[in-house]
């Protein structure tokens, strides 16, 4: 009689490279659980989740979703559609050109996270789970069932790297952790993409219009969230929803369509942005819109310096300050020692030219440096600018900028008799002060986008990219590296100064504290650089989207108090860990990062 050892009782792990799920459930049952749980999650949004209206959003109604229920409804509906597409339902194949299973996992996980965040918030704020109604219990159970089913969907397990027998315990731990991360990445990654049928041109244009309409709706909803819990739920739903659409292949397909109709896409994006003020009833959220545009325009100018030319500038916000101060000094403000009041076009020229001059003066002696040395010099310039305007108060230095008090009482702009500080009625809609400045900044953003596109596609733009990729090789090919970098520095500074002229009139006051290297709120140099990297270096849409997120999210997360930057920083770390190329990546950078991610990691030592 043989004795059965513990090793004999151990269940064999799935062989590397074979399809399996994170949970040992048959694929058909897993798909049924994910589908059924998603459908029940949708049904639960039409039931009451709590008995009292004390929780924000009033989740006490039957038959009428509200507040966070709407987000769960959207996530559950999206997960249900992807589940049906995974079954091969006729007419839904276009939803998953890159496969459905990974999209199902992201959509289900987002619905689960939003639902459980709501249920936990209700229990904590109202004093226990006793405050949940049947709908609350149903959505918790349904999303949990859907998550179990989604995690059990099959995926291709990567083969582990060989283990070095001489490796230390720490090296073996790193090996196991790397393989676990690879397994999780594979579990949430689609399989081989299916070929996508080319659509007629008019259909592709309709697709672009639909995408822009959805983007406008999502942005308007996000910026108009009325309470903190709703915004956090919006972030969860939007983040996982974007991941699901990306893994399904729809984002890549839409990107290909927009690339084939680039001019239509750009014009349509500006039309959609111009419609934003008409969706608002007052200036409360139009205020955020104009500040987002200012921040995004400056980030796009920095993208020329960092994204195209590869110059790490840590003091870029100083050029925004130069433009703002130059325009404020000639704006007719009583705080200005010059006592002049230039028209708008002249103030814009003064601000842009002042930033251009400072860009050339700073760049000429410093751009022969590279890498970290250039970054330190530009960081020093940013601090020198702030200290200089702080000391030119008539006591520590000449009386120019009024020191720490800044230039105050800057009058509103008046362009061809149109006073931007007064509300106007347009087509039955009342457009307030910040909406007026929103349209002005939108026009300036269009100019900056045009400059970026034309310069990026020009000979000088290709020279910038060559310098960024390998400056030594570019110099060997005959490119004048110093001149090319100086042009990039000057153009970026000019665009920042252009935005600064409008910022001075929007904020009424220009002070040195607005132009720090780092702070709790943008714009500052650290946030500007993060917007370029987060959005995608070398692209147009990337910094615009990155700047919008980096301005909107801290503004909405103020309820976290001292933990605001901690939560925000953790979110950035996770995003850069799983999508280092940025949200809207340049094709070259996307291939580089994915090439690194897909390359096998060898942890074994090479013997002599």
């Amino acid at each position: 009689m043989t004795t059965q050892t513990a090793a004999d009782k151990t269940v064999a792990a799935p062989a590397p490279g074979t399809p399996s799920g994170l949970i040992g459930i048959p694929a058909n049952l897993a798909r049924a659980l994910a589908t059924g749980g998603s459908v029940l999650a949708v049904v639960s949004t039409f039931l009451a989740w709590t008995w009292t209206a004390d929780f924000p959003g009033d989740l006490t109604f039957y038959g009428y979703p509200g507040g966070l229920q709407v987000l769960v409804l959207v996530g559950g509906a999206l997960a249900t559609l992807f589940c049906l597409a995974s079954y091969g339902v006729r007419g839904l194949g276009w939803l998953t050109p890159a496969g459905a299973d990974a999209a199902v996992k992201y959509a289900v996980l987002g619905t689960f996270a939003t639902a459980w965040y709501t249920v936990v918030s209700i229990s904590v704020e109202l004093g226990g789970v006793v405050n949940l109604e049947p709908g609350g219990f149903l959505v918790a159970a349904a999303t949990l069932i859907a998550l179990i089913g989604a995690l059990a969907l099959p995926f291709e397990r990567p083969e582990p790297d060989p283990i070095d027998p001489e490796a230390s315990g720490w090296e073996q731990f790193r090996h196991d952790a790397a393989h676990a991360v690879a397994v999780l990445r594979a579990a949430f990654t689609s399989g081989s993409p299916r070929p996508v049928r080319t659509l007629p041109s008019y259909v592709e244009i309709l697709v672009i219009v639909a995408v822009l309409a959805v983007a406008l709706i999502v942005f308007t909803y996000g910026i108009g969230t009325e309470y903190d819990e709703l915004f956090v739920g919006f972030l969860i739903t939007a983040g996982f929803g974007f991941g699901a659409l990306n893994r399904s292949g729809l984002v890549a397909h839409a990107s290909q369509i927009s690339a084939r109709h680039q001019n239509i896409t750009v014009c349509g994006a500006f039309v959609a942005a111009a419609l934003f003020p008409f969706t608002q009833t007052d200036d409360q959220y139009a205020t955020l819109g104009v500040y987002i545009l200012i921040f995004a325009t400056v980030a796009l100018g920095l993208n020329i310096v960092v994204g195209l030319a590869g110059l790490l500038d840590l003091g870029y916000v100083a050029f925004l300050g130069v433009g703002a101060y130059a325009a404020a000094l000639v704006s007719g403000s009583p705080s200005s020692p010059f006592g002049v009041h230039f028209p708008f076009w002249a103030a814009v020229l003064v601000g842009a030219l002042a930033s251009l001059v400072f860009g050339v003066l700073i760049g000429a002696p410093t751009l022969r440096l590279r890498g970290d040395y250039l970054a330190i010099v530009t960081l020093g310039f940013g601090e020198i600018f702030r200290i200089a305007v702080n000391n030119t108060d008539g006591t520590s230095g000449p009386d120019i900028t009024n020191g720490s008090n800044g230039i105050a009482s800057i009058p509103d702009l008046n362009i061809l008799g149109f006073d931007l500080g007064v509300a106007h009625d347009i087509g039955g809609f009342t457009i307030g002060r910040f909406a007026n400045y929103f349209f002005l900044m939108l026009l300036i953003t269009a100019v900056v986008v045009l400059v970026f596109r034309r310069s990026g596609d020009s000979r000088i733009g290709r020279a910038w990219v060559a310098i960024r990729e390998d400056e030594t090789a570019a110099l060997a090919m005959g490119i004048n590296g110093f001149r090319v970098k100086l042009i990039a520095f000057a153009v970026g500074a000019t665009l920042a100064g252009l935005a600064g002229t409008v910022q001075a009139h929007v904020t009424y006051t220009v002070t040195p504290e607005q132009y720090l290297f780092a702070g709790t709120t943008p714009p500052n140099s650290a946030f500007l650089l993060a917007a370029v990297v987060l959005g995608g270096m070398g692209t147009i849409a990337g910094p615009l989207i990155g700047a919008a997120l980096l301005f909107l999210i801290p503004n909405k997360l103020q309820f976290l108090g001292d933990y605001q930057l901690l939560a925000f920083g953790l979110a950035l770390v996770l995003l850069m860990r799983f999508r280092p190329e940025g949200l809207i990546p340049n094709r070259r950078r996307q291939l580089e990062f994915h090439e690194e991610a897909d390359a096998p990691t060898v942890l074994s030592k090479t013997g002599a």
Side-chain angles (χ1 to χ4, degrees), residues 78-135:
L78 186 63
T80 301
L81 287 175
F82 284 135
C83 288
L84 294 177
S86 69
Y87 278 110
V89 175
R90 186 177 179 85
L92 294 180
W94 61 272
L95 278 174
T96 55
D101 286 349
V104 168
K105 293 171 185 176
Y106 272 90
V108 167
L109 185 57
T111 308
F112 170 83
T114 306
W116 277 74
Y117 166 74
T118 306
V119 169
V120 171
S121 297
I122 292 174
S123 302
V124 171
E125 292 187 22
L126 300 183
V129 295
V130 69
N131 294 283
L132 294 176
E133 286 289 293

Side-chain angles (χ1 to χ4, degrees), residues 137-229:
F137 290 107
L138 178 60
V139 74
T143 53
L144 181 59
I145 291 172
L147 180 64
I148 293 173
L151 293 179
L153 291 176
F155 65 95
E156 200 77 15
R157 288 181 178 269
E159 296 188 9
D161 298 323
I163 301 178
D164 182 9
E166 299 180 2
S168 64
W170 171 247
E171 290 174 332
Q172 291 182 2
F173 171 77
R174 290 180 57 193
H175 173 273
D176 295 338
H179 180 59
V181 170
V183 170
L184 288 175
R185 182 184 290 120
F188 285 87
T189 304
S190 300
S192 301
R194 297 195 297 268
V196 179
R197 183 165 56 93
T198 304
L199 300 173
S201 295
Y202 72 92
V203 176
E204 292 187 339
I205 294 175
L206 291 177
V207 169
I208 294 173
V209 172
V211 170
L212 293 175
V214 171
L216 177 61
I217 293 172
V218 172
F219 176 76
T220 303
Y221 185 89
I223 202 174
T225 49
E226 299 175 351
Y227 49 93
D228 304 331
E229 292 86 352

Side-chain angles (χ1 to χ4, degrees), residues 403-419:
S404 59
N405 294 323
I407 308 297
S409 302
I410 300 174
D412 284 306
L413 291 173
N414 191 303
I415 304 175
L416 300 178
F418 188 89
D419 190 351

